[in-house]
Structure formats: C-alpha cells, structure tokens
Amino acid sequence: MDDLIVSDPDILGGTPVFKGTRVPLAILFENLKDNLTLAEIIKDYPTLSRDQAVRALREAQRYLVAAARRVTR
C-alpha cells in the first residue's frame, strides 16, 4: 500500500495522504459520508485520480471483511 497512501511528517504533519498529492485519505471518506459521488470528489481534488480512490475503497473493504471474519471466529 506504500504506492497508494503515504505518511510523511513534512506533508500535512504526517497525515496519511494519497501518494503524489496533498489529499488526505480521510477526505475521501468524509466526502462519501456527505453524499458526494466519486466523480464530484475527483473534480474537487484534481490531483486525486479515480484509480487511487477506487483502490483505497477496495483496500478498506478488504480490511473490514478480514476484521469481521476475525471477530466472528
């Protein structure tokens, strides 16, 4: 995931951001929570690619599914 999300103390104080941008990962989830579409988010953050956003969502899904499986066993 190092090619998708990075945390560098020199970029937004170490806030996890999409690699090659200053767009925090949290922005994606906050905007989705506020009912913005993926297209609207990408329009508002042009340095964020659709591929990056989709990959982050897929990684989050994998993590949550794996966590749920650990809890139910």
Side-chain angles (χ1 to χ4, degrees):
M1 189 136 100
D2 292 346
D3 65 329
L4 179 61
I5 306 296
V6 296
S7 180
D8 180 334
D10 293 330
I11 301 172
L12 297 177
T15 299
V17 297
F18 287 93
K19 186 173 185 173
T21 77
R22 295 179 62 84
V23 179
L25 173 62
I27 287 292
L28 175 63
F29 295 102
E30 290 169 9
N31 279 267
L32 289 171
K33 176 185 67 77
D34 291 339
N35 294 317
L36 271 72
T37 66
L38 200 50
E40 290 170 321
I41 297 167
I42 304 240
K43 183 179 177 188
D44 289 344
Y45 298 91
T47 59
L48 176 64
S49 73
R50 183 178 193 291
D51 179 63
Q52 287 174 307
V54 169
R55 284 183 59 208
L57 293 171
R58 285 188 181 138
E59 287 295 322
Q61 177 186 19
R62 276 193 277 272
Y63 174 81
L64 291 170
V65 168
R69 287 185 177 142
R70 283 191 302 271
V71 169
T72 58
R73 290 185 179 170

